[in-house]
Amino acid sequence: MYLLLDIGNSRSKGMLASRTGQMTPVELSAASFDRTAIEAVYYAAVAGQDKVQALKKQLQLHDKPWRQIESEAARFGVQNCYSQPHLLGVDRWLAMLGSHWLMPKQDLLVVDAGTAVTLDWLSTDAVHQGGWILPGLKLQQQSVVQKTAKVFNADTHQARLQPGGDTVACLQNGCLAAVVGAISQAWQLQPMQQVLLTGGDARLLLPYLKNYPVQLEPNLLFYGLSRFIDS
Ligand SMILES: Nc1ncnc2c1ncn2[C@@H]1O[C@H](COP(=O)(O)OP(=O)(O)O)[C@@H](O)[C@H]1O
Ligand SMILES: CC(C)(COP(=O)(O)O)[C@@H](O)C(=O)NCCC(=O)O
Ligand SMILES: [K+]
């Protein structure tokens, strides 16, 4: 059994993966799984090393091999278009490696709606065509609230793609429109056969993307990460 870790800017997620490729989500605490069954930990971190160290301590897996996955120029037939490949966020890289594993013969628009929203175009021959980074839904709302005197938000999310009638609705609807609008703009610029949607806000965005061939893939990053097991 292997432990896969996605250490993001908002939260860390864990998955247990068997040699046969079976995956089970796991809570990240030392008590939530059988530590003796873990052969190795494969992890990807866009967050700082402090978060990685804290997690290492928390999981009490010091005696196991920890393998950090980083962005590369090419891997498993997928090509990174950055001139400095290691600077591409490893979550974006893994989402592309996962997408390519899932749909190897299609061109894809990979959308990761996390703390930041990222969009990446991947051609049929698995060449990264570049992408976009924009603030995620929560981050957009927080930055408006923080940098203005009179805009406030509510704890509940009721965003809709329509004009708002009060401050909270204007803020939430506006930020939803910005993210949905970016995906729509990406599609207009370069349509692809499939849009693969992942990240913490993926489910929330899905109803607004009915005009596109969208597939929700919450585990895209883990599909990418699991390709490294024993490789
Ligand atoms: N339990 C949660 N904790 C934090 N963010 C959440 C949670 N559930 C949904 N979200 C949403 O998910 C987004 C973060 O997505 P996620 O993929 O977890 O980010 P990251 O990979 O950057 O850590 C936030 O914008 C937030 O709106
Ligand atoms: C853009 C990101 C912050 C997204 O991370 P996330 O919101 O999923 O935590 C991350 O992919 C990152 O730190 N990228 C490095 C810069 C780049 O991709 O060019
Ligand atoms: K993201």
Side-chain angles (χ1 to χ4, degrees):
M1 202 69 99
Y2 300 89
L3 178 63
L4 311 179
L5 297 176
D6 163 19
I7 305 170
N9 283 301
S10 292
R11 49 188 176 148
S12 300
K13 285 135 264 175
M15 189 72 86
L16 288 173
S18 73
R19 260 179 199 280
T20 56
Q22 240 184 333
M23 292 212 260
T24 319
V26 67
E27 204 189 305
L28 292 180
S29 72
S32 60
F33 52 89
D34 175 13
R35 299 207 303 282
T36 59
I38 306 292
E39 288 178 55
V41 182
Y42 288 79
Y43 73 101
V46 289
Q49 277 304 313
D50 49 328
K51 264 200 174 180
V52 180
Q53 291 314 324
L55 203 54
K56 271 194 184 175
K57 202 167 165 191
Q58 191 179 321
L59 295 175
Q60 298 172 23
L61 288 168
H62 294 283
D63 54 330
K64 310 287 182 183
W66 281 66
R67 185 164 167 209
Q68 179 165 21
I69 306 304
E70 293 181 274
S71 298
E72 300 165 281
R75 174 68 73 155
F76 308 125
V78 180
Q79 274 178 60
N80 181 342
C81 78
Y82 271 30
S83 57
Q84 293 181 279
H86 65 284
L87 295 183
L88 176 76
V90 68
D91 54 348
R92 299 170 61 189
W93 179 235
L94 288 174
M96 284 193 278
L97 295 183
S99 300
H100 177 251
W101 171 78
L102 207 60
M103 298 183 179
K105 298 219 154 48
Q106 298 195 46
D107 53 26
L108 305 167
L109 180 63
V110 183
V111 181
D112 185 344
T115 310
V117 173
T118 56
L119 296 95
D120 284 288
W121 285 263
L122 193 64
S123 67
T124 321
D125 51 356
V127 182
H128 181 210
Q129 307 291 306
W132 286 345
I133 302 171
L134 56 140
L137 276 177
K138 203 169 181 177
L139 188 57
Q140 289 188 26
Q141 295 176 13
Q142 284 170 343
S143 47
V144 177
V145 171
Q146 271 168 26
K147 298 286 182 186
T148 60
K150 299 195 172 168
V151 182
F152 56 90
N153 203 355
D155 291 334
T156 50
H157 266 261
Q158 284 170 335
R160 299 216 169 100
L161 272 193
Q162 60 189 41
D166 55 50
T167 304
V168 172
C170 285
L171 177 66
Q172 294 194 356
N173 295 5
C175 295
L176 174 66
V179 174
V180 173
I183 297 169
S184 151
Q185 199 65 42
W187 186 265
Q188 281 180 47
L189 192 65
Q190 178 62 65
M192 304 304 244
Q193 283 163 282
Q194 271 287 335
V195 180
L196 292 178
L197 185 61
T198 196
D201 286 319
R203 237 169 253 286
L204 192 153
L205 292 171
L206 190 64
Y208 305 100
L209 299 170
K210 293 228 162 82
N211 293 339
Y212 311 99
V214 181
Q215 193 161 310
L216 188 67
E217 288 294 341
N219 296 329
L220 213 45
L221 216 133
F222 289 112
Y223 296 152
L225 209 43
S226 69
R227 297 185 78 168
F228 287 89
I229 293 174
D230 288 341
S231 74

